[in-house]
Amino acid sequence: FLLVSAPKSSHEVLKESATDVRVLPNYSTPQKTDSYFNPKMKLNRQLIFCALAVLAKERTPIECLDAFGATGIMGLQWAKHLSSSVRVTINDCSENSVAMIQENCHLNKMRVKLNTKEEDSDEGLGDGEESADIIEVTKMDANVIMHLRSFDFIHLDPFGTSVNYLDSAFRNVRNLGIVSLTSTDTSSLYAKAQHVALRHYGCNIVRTEYYKELAARIVIAAVTRAAARCNKGIEVLLAVALEHFVLVVVRVLRGPSPADDSAKKIRYLIHCQWCEERIFQKEGNMVEENPYQQLPCDCHGSMPGKTAVILGPLWSGALFNAGFLRRMYLEAVQYSLDEAQSLLKTLVCEAECTTLKHYSTHSPCDESKQEECGVYIKTPNTPSEPHLVHGKRKSDEVIRNTAKRQKAENSAEHPAFYYNIHRHSIKGMNMPKLNKFLNYLSEAGYKVSRTHFDPMGVRTNAPLAQFKTVLMKYSTPTYTGGQAEEAEYLEEERPAVAAAMFLKDCPPPHCAAE
């Protein structure tokens, strides 16, 4: 069989974020095309772009890698909007995809530097044409290029799980760089194929009401173990789980101490199958006589048999960095990324465990909070103004400051997991509106926020028993159609019924005479 390329007339040109890409007619079917393009992943691409834009303001220039280029849309957006701040490398192992990436680079008036195992050549534009920054296009296996070269920003978006590429990604990534990965194997992560999750991630899971957050913590645990094998720790900046994908963005902290600190945050989870209460196991290796005592609920005492299961191992630390998310939001506003703006607002509120009405773009921050994603130093040109850059201080001092900040933030971490208000509603009761219920929980003294994982989910530090108590207190009785008609009938016939009951209780006349 001969591989014949399709004529250019059959190629369709799509536009996203001021970037044009030429795709094949079957571009939406990954099994039948090399250059797969999914329009539903637009939000995913916007979030990754915002994360890269934040990193580009910390150090310049940065070398970034799109390890699975396909059509090259993501790398083209990086180069087109961030221009001289980034040096973009787009990689793919398919020859057809590499040809498509080169074609799309020329379509967007970008110069191409082709680098493959066999050849290394430059393809430039004509003398009279306008040129932009050079994009390097490589044809290698993703593991090979990440072993050969160092990068500041790496994005992994394979078809399915990304665990096969984590070791290579963390091998040469630079200190304080960022690794982002998109996992589309939602059938295993969302507990529809539990045996596949055990095979890929070494994790035991069941289907729960908080299955999306469970999926994010599974991926982060795999990332943490891969980084620790390379003597690197991580700081989770962002974790998003939506219908089609799970996106995780982490910052790399080089050194054995950050690696040990990150590895200690991988724990098992005790999950009650009756009430769906959950809690992470305590630290330590000692076996407890009764592990059910760790659960806040008393289902084990009131229900027969074994009532809880152990899930994991999972990441037990924070899923968001509020300072980094605020800076991502500012980048989304600057580049008019509307879909990312609404989601980032929700993520900031979720990270700070507050409601949307208390959200503020320019929140007052002290210098220590502003250093959440960078290091402030004073440059000779502007001695009075700090400038965010990296690499001017010693790396151990940077890591030490990051560790101090993380220890200070541990007490203020957002609560783990969330409760679905419909899952715990009381039968026969009309529950309050979600926003009102958030206010009721906040008035009771608990941290509370909505969550992007579930539109009807409530993230709070209140135990499930208190959650149900507040929900019961502010719920009102409801009636079905038949019950309402019966109540209305009794209300109308109350006088006649009362008279009948009175006559029934009165003795007959002959009895009274006797």
Side-chain angles (χ1 to χ4, degrees):
F1 294 93
L2 296 177
L3 182 64
V4 181
S5 60
K8 290 188 177 181
S9 58
S10 65
H11 290 185
E12 181 182 356
V13 177
L14 303 178
K15 190 167 187 176
E16 180 182 296
S17 299
T19 305
D20 297 324
V21 286
R22 185 173 280 117
V23 296
L24 296 174
N26 56 351
Y27 64 88
S28 59
T29 310
Q31 291 88 353
K32 296 183 179 181
T33 180
D34 291 325
S35 48
Y36 176 60
F37 177 79
N38 188 0
K40 294 181 180 179
M41 300 291 282
K42 179 180 178 181
L43 178 59
N44 175 275
R45 288 187 282 270
Q46 290 184 357
L47 292 173
I48 295 165
F49 173 82
C50 292
L52 178 60
V54 172
L55 182 64
K57 290 188 176 180
E58 298 177 10
R59 60 175 98 173
T60 302
I62 59 175
E63 295 188 22
C64 48
L65 170 68
D66 182 8
F68 300 88
T71 60
I73 176 67
M74 191 174 297
L76 286 169
Q77 290 175 355
W78 297 350
K80 197 162 190 175
H81 295 290
L82 300 178
S83 61
S84 60
S85 300
V86 295
R87 296 173 182 168
V88 179
T89 301
I90 305 176
N91 177 73
D92 204 289
C93 61
S94 169
E95 187 174 350
N96 292 336
S97 293
V98 170
M100 182 68 71
I101 293 169
Q102 294 180 68
E103 188 177 345
N104 287 329
C105 288
H106 294 313
L107 184 64
N108 291 272
K109 298 183 179 180
M110 301 277 183
R111 287 193 300 169
V112 179
K113 178 183 178 183
L114 183 62
N115 184 6
T116 65
K117 293 179 181 178
E118 298 85 6
E119 58 183 349
D120 188 356
S121 62
D122 291 339
E123 297 183 6
L125 298 174
D127 296 336
E129 299 184 35
E130 180 185 357
S131 63
D133 291 340
I134 298 176
I135 293 182
E136 183 176 357
V137 180
T138 59
K139 179 183 173 294
M140 299 184 192
D141 184 88
N143 284 320
V144 173
I145 188 171
M146 288 187 290
H147 270 294
L148 293 176
R149 294 174 52 184
S150 298
F151 294 95
D152 300 287
F153 184 93
I154 297 175
H155 177 64
L156 303 175
D157 187 8
F159 181 68
T161 181
S162 56
V163 292
N164 299 324
Y165 307 95
L166 293 179
D167 289 330
S168 303
F170 285 98
R171 179 66 59 186
N172 283 330
V173 64
R174 294 193 176 102
N175 191 28
L176 299 177
I178 288 179
V179 174
S180 66
L181 58 139
T182 301
S183 300
T184 53
D185 54 332
T186 52
S187 60
S188 60
L189 290 174
Y190 291 169
K192 294 179 182 177
Q194 301 173 12
H195 61 288
V196 181
L198 180 62
R199 184 168 72 242
H200 287 169
Y201 299 94
C203 184
N204 294 306
I205 56 174
V206 296
R207 184 76 171 194
T208 63
E209 64 171 325
Y210 50 93
Y211 66 95
K212 286 188 177 180
E213 182 170 346
L214 204 64
R217 294 184 180 276
I218 291 171
V219 175
I220 298 174
V223 170
T224 304
R225 289 192 293 267
R229 286 192 289 269
C230 301
N231 282 335
K232 295 181 177 72
I234 66 165
E235 178 186 7
V236 181
L237 304 176
L238 170 69
V240 173
L242 298 177
E243 182 181 359
H244 304 287
F245 64 90
V246 177
L247 171 65
V248 171
V249 181
V250 300
R251 187 185 294 278
V252 179
L253 307 175
R254 181 172 293 177
S257 296
D260 294 340
D261 294 338
S262 299
K264 289 177 182 177
K265 293 183 180 180
I266 298 180
R267 301 186 199 172
Y268 285 91
L269 183 77
I270 305 177
H271 170 81
C272 178
Q273 297 192 97
W274 286 96
C275 67
E276 296 214 45
E277 181 63 288
R278 74 299 302 236
I279 191 170
F280 282 106
Q281 276 189 343
K282 297 177 181 178
E283 292 186 29
N285 299 323
M286 301 303 294
V287 179
E288 288 199 7
E289 184 176 352
N290 186 9
Y292 288 99
Q293 292 179 352
Q294 297 185 31
L295 281 169
C297 64
D298 59 347
C299 296
H300 182 64
S302 57
M303 300 291 180
K306 299 177 181 180
T307 59
V309 293
I310 295 180
L311 309 180
L314 308 171
W315 171 261
S316 64
L319 296 178
F320 312 101
N321 185 308
F324 192 87
L325 289 172
R326 285 185 178 276
R327 296 169 64 189
M328 285 181 63
Y329 176 77
L330 295 178
E331 298 296 334
V333 172
Q334 178 181 348
Y335 292 99
S336 301
L337 306 178
D338 298 331
E339 295 184 20
Q341 288 180 35
S342 58
L343 177 58
L344 287 170
K345 276 187 182 180
T346 305
L347 293 176
V348 171
C349 295
E350 191 172 357
E352 298 179 347
C353 206
T354 182
T355 53
L356 193 60
K357 69 178 184 178
H358 298 120
Y359 173 80
S360 174
T361 306
H362 304 285
S363 63
C365 298
D366 56 2
E367 186 173 326
S368 62
K369 287 186 178 180
Q370 289 175 349
E371 289 183 357
E372 271 182 299
C373 305
V375 180
Y376 279 106
I377 67 167
K378 293 183 179 180
T379 59
N381 298 331
T382 56
S384 59
E385 297 181 1
H387 182 60
L388 259 178
V389 296
H390 280 291
K392 303 259 180 174
R393 280 188 182 179
K394 295 180 180 179
S395 59
D396 56 348
E397 185 178 354
V398 173
I399 295 174
R400 189 161 53 248
N401 292 340
T402 305
K404 289 180 180 178
R405 187 190 69 248
Q406 286 180 332
K407 289 180 181 179
E409 288 176 349
N410 281 340
S411 58
E413 281 184 0
H414 62 271
F417 300 111
Y418 54 90
Y419 302 109
N420 185 289
I421 190 172
H422 284 298
R423 168 68 177 80
H424 300 286
S425 60
I426 297 94
K427 187 177 180 180
M429 302 290 287
N430 188 16
M431 63 182 183
K433 298 292 185 182
L434 181 58
N435 290 333
K436 289 185 177 180
F437 180 68
L438 295 178
N439 294 334
Y440 297 147
L441 272 176
S442 181
E443 292 171 359
Y446 297 106
K447 292 182 179 180
V448 63
S449 72
R450 299 187 70 166
T451 175
H452 81 280
F453 291 112
D454 187 352
M456 297 305 295
V458 177
R459 185 179 296 280
T460 177
N461 60 347
L464 182 58
Q466 292 299 115
F467 183 89
K468 289 184 175 181
T469 300
V470 176
L471 186 60
M472 180 70 178
K473 179 179 178 181
Y474 293 99
S475 297
T476 56
T478 184
Y479 299 97
T480 61
Q483 290 175 332
E485 292 176 2
E486 183 180 356
E488 184 179 355
Y489 172 80
L490 290 176
E491 187 68 25
E492 293 176 355
E493 300 295 332
R494 183 174 293 177
V497 173
M501 295 297 294
F502 175 78
L503 293 176
K504 180 180 179 181
D505 294 338
C506 291
H510 64 275
C511 295
E514 292 176 359

